[in-house]
């Protein structure tokens, strides 16, 4: 099967931007996606399951069962604003090949929905805790890069692993522009401060009014999922990394 | 080839339920499947061979040759009862990807046969030997979960590895409902006590009269296969785990 | 590409038997295939290259270049005898999946050529050097097994790794009968004694008159290939096993 | 996706020769390709991205973003000379299978463009630094080999790993002739001396006048890419080998 997509609905969208929100450093992308889904009242319309996800099921004691999955939500833009697709999930793929296959599928879906712009989100690990995190960016092309620089982002220097980097690298193959935004974070716990830094720029770029003060609910929800999986103890999620199978899974 | 299916017969079935019985903890699923095949006089109608099984043949000295395979049996329900498909085999796939591909193929076959309900079976490892093992469950949806809870199963909390978990996770993609039943077992040997616990609920759920007292034959057959492969010495099958190639193979 | 087949000719064959001769323990299959090709003056008609072979080229100083490949030869049977396909090569596939894909392709080619019988060959490792090696067998079905037993082979007990075992396991999916013949060998060097034991039975089964005394040329050729690759020093080829990439390559 | 090709233009070419220039020992092929692209003013017309490349993006601080990619350039031959295709890139594939899939795609593209001749380039590692490096060769056939021998190359003896070897091994499947040229190099840094040795023969073979004295720009560019990725410190690129993910990536 490799990647199997299940559509619940095929929305007709107006010049949509896709915002990627899969698990990663500081769970910045995850919290960003959750907050956008809540604030925009976004609607689930499709999900992907991949042969490169973990081969397991997880249950949490309240009867709710989790499986490795990536989900697509959409929100219609109000007052002539562009529509938004949100990619939320509890895992990335386990292997290099799996990541490419997953990104290929995400890009096919984006292309199919007329999406010409992809925004990926993540954390950039720092040693010290930072109260005013900087935002770093990289882009598929100069125009897109300039747009982020104009909003105060700095140029990223180094490696960007995972879907956040790969989508921006591959999007040109699909004639889609891509921008990656990374906020500084220690990455030790789901980080609402770094997330706020990202959402602030998203608000400006897309002319949105996402609530930046009330991120505690989305952060707590992310933390709860981690906890129930036995991955988080107290404030540290670093243990997660020890087990290769859980590289991306929350 | 990845997964190659060979059909000996294409049965026409009445609202069938598929019961999964591949090797796993305590060989509960294996013994369950063998007992169902014997008691229902089920008929072999198809088998799967996968590129993700072990690349070897095994011979046992009596001229009988074993290969890694998964087999499908069916039994027609009597007196208006629903038909039953039994998935029996001597292995699961060796890798994460192989497990997904295998489950995808099992679900395609299920869909093709009009199956709308999959029941997976397994053992839940305990440190101490238990005379009255509890039964745990998880399901693809609330209604299916409730059905198992009503019959005395408790809600499973934790990870379910392998086909037993994965089938329940993926079945929604095929519009199939899934239930996983796990009985407590030390997992040190093919366990008829844990198997009886599972079969008791299967009897109630499907209105069957599978003999619960005479599990020794199916247990012994499972033990004999393990022995002839040099995997079991005395009562312990744990050594099996040491060699990765034999992760699931019996 | 996975497996790419190149045909130089598509022979029309009369009830052909395929004899497998890929590298393995004691290089029994390799020498067997070389001797058959020489004695029957068999003609190369196709070759397979697989993504699961080693990603390298080998040159030997005399200008001759070797690549990982599997080749198919055929010889027309004289006086109404059945035709013979010989599978010769310098490698098996590197991974479990690669072995399955390779065997699937070999079986497809066999089916395509009307082949209903496959004979695989190999060595069965012994600790001591044996002057009169025994021959062991396993088969896809009882009739085929009995045929080998009647010619003095004993029933094999244990694991048969690689293409020799896998082809016999998978051939039933293609409605082909399969027999595996393994001769005792220390496996420390290309072994003409073990090969003679196998060829003797092949002569009887297929009513051939392959020269059993003059195996030195085929043995020497196999040894030379090993030597030029730096794999053999003196009489030991065991070092080969240390480098995983050379699992099967000669 | 495995290998995805993006065409910017489909050139009509006159009996073109493809020259491979992917990263490898001493970056001889890389510098060769860069010099050819500069001197021939070659034009980018296609690129490949593969699921077997690294799953990351790299940014270098000047705003330029690098992704793992292989690119195709072409230059029209002047005065009736044959056209040239140059394969340049910053990576080879990460796994054996990936290398085969990549080479299969390169050969498909070559076939599609009417290319009947492939020239691969590389370094042959020596312990000591050599001022007058020898050139070694291997070929798909005797005629092609002789052509290189006549120009002073010696016969290569040993293993040729990677795309340089594999393309020459596989090209026969596509009815393409292949030649591999390897110049002696310590491989410790991007080596213009070894590159000059290769380009000299390319000039003679293809009747070109590539500047052999001014290789510093292409060498420096290669070095800069390595540096900005933190792979090179001072003159050594050997550290690169330590991290498997960077096997081929520059």
């Amino acid at each position: 099967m490799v990647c199997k997509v299940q559509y619940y609905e095929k929305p007709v969208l107006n010049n949509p931007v896709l915002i990627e929100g899969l698990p990663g450093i500081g769970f910045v992308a995850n919290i960003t996606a959750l907050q956008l889904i809540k604030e925009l009242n976004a609607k689930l319309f499709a999900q992907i399951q991949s042969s490169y996800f973990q081969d397991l099921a997880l249950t949490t004691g309240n009867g709710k069962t989790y499986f490795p999955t990536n989900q697509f939500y959409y929100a219609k833009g109000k007052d002539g604003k562009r529509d938004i697709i949100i990619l939320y999930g509890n895992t990335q793929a386990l292997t290099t090949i799996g990541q490419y296959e997953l990104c290929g599928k995400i890009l096919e879906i984006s292309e199919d929905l007329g999406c010409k712009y992809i925004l990926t989100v993540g954390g950039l690990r720092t040693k010290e805790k930072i109260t005013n995190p900087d935002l770093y960016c990289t882009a598929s092309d100069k125009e897109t890069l300039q747009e982020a620089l104009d909003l105060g982002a700095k140029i990223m220097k180094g490696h960007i692993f995972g879907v956040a980097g790969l989508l921006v690298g591959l999007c040109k193959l699909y004639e889609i522009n891509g921008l990656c935004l990374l906020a500084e974070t220690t990455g030790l716990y789901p980080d609402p401060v770094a997330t706020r830094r990202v959402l602030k720029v998203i608000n400006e770029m897309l002319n949105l009014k996402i609530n930046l003060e009330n991120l505690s609910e989305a952060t707590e929800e992310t933390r709860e999922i981690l906890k129930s999986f036995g991955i988080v103890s107290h404030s540290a999620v670093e243990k997660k990394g020890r087990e290769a199978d859980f590289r991306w899974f929350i």
Side-chain angles (χ1 to χ4, degrees), chain A:
Chain A
M1 46 175 277
V2 183
C3 285
K4 189 166 167 89
V5 184
Q6 188 180 27
Y7 277 98
Y8 305 111
E9 179 190 350
K10 272 233 176 178
V12 178
L13 299 174
N14 168 30
N15 188 23
V17 53
L18 181 140
I19 300 173
E20 173 270 339
L22 299 181
I25 296 166
F27 296 90
V28 173
N30 250 197
I31 307 173
T32 297
L34 272 181
Q35 184 74 355
L36 286 167
I37 291 167
K38 284 175 203 295
E39 291 270 324
L40 299 172
N41 200 17
K43 193 176 170 199
L44 177 67
F45 71 93
Q47 70 174 335
I48 300 180
Q49 281 175 300
S50 160
S51 296
Y52 292 92
F53 290 167
Q54 299 80 353
D55 56 334
L56 50 72
L58 282 153
T59 56
T60 59
N62 60 1
K64 206 170 171 186
T65 310
Y66 294 88
F67 299 100
T69 186
N70 280 195
Q71 299 178 324
F72 290 84
Y73 294 77
Y74 74 90
K76 300 293 290 176
K78 286 171 190 161
D79 313 324
K81 284 176 216 153
R82 65 201 300 185
D83 295 342
I84 291 174
I85 304 164
I86 300 154
L87 171 61
Y88 177 68
N90 56 13
T91 193
Q92 295 192 21
L94 293 181
T95 69
T96 297
I97 301 162
Q99 295 281 68
Y100 268 94
E101 297 297 329
L102 180 61
C103 288
K105 190 57 79 181
I106 293 167
L107 288 163
E108 276 175 28
I109 293 170
S110 301
E111 192 179 43
D112 204 37
L113 295 167
C115 172
K116 289 295 188 192
Y117 194 98
I118 285 179
L119 178 60
T120 71
V121 172
L124 185 64
R125 205 183 294 274
T126 56
K127 284 180 186 168
E128 304 288 317
K129 195 168 175 177
I130 289 171
T131 46
N132 290 308
D134 275 332
L135 191 67
Y136 287 85
C137 66
T138 187
S140 63
D141 57 293
K142 283 187 177 172
E143 290 68 27
T144 306
L145 186 72
Q146 195 56 49
E147 202 180 345
L149 296 177
D150 290 347
L151 292 169
K154 298 180 177 177
I155 290 177
M156 164 72 189
K157 181 172 177 176
H159 300 38
I160 307 164
F161 290 99
V163 168
L166 205 54
L167 274 182
V168 176
L170 294 172
C171 64
K172 284 189 284 189
L173 294 177
Y174 294 81
E175 292 174 10
I176 293 173
N177 290 329
L179 175 67
C180 174
L181 293 176
L182 304 175
E184 288 182 318
T185 173
T186 60
L188 294 175
Y189 50 88
D191 185 346
V193 178
T195 305
R196 187 173 297 119
R197 188 66 187 88
V198 168
L199 277 169
K200 190 163 173 288
V201 167
I202 291 177
N203 267 346
E204 294 177 61
M205 287 181 69
L206 300 176
N207 200 14
L208 297 174
K209 290 173 180 172
I210 302 299
N211 188 336
L212 303 182
E213 298 316 311
N214 180 20
L215 289 171
S216 55
E217 198 186 334
T219 306
E220 201 49 43
E221 188 171 325
T222 302
R223 200 192 309 272
E224 279 306 311
I225 297 174
L226 292 171
K227 245 191 217 162
S228 65
F229 289 7
I231 298 169
V232 188
S233 64
H234 306 105
S235 67
V237 298
E238 285 302 88
K239 284 176 188 168
K240 187 180 74 82
R242 291 189 196 157
E243 222 177 303
D245 270 8
F246 289 91
R247 200 161 65 121
W248 301 107
F249 200 65
I250 68 162

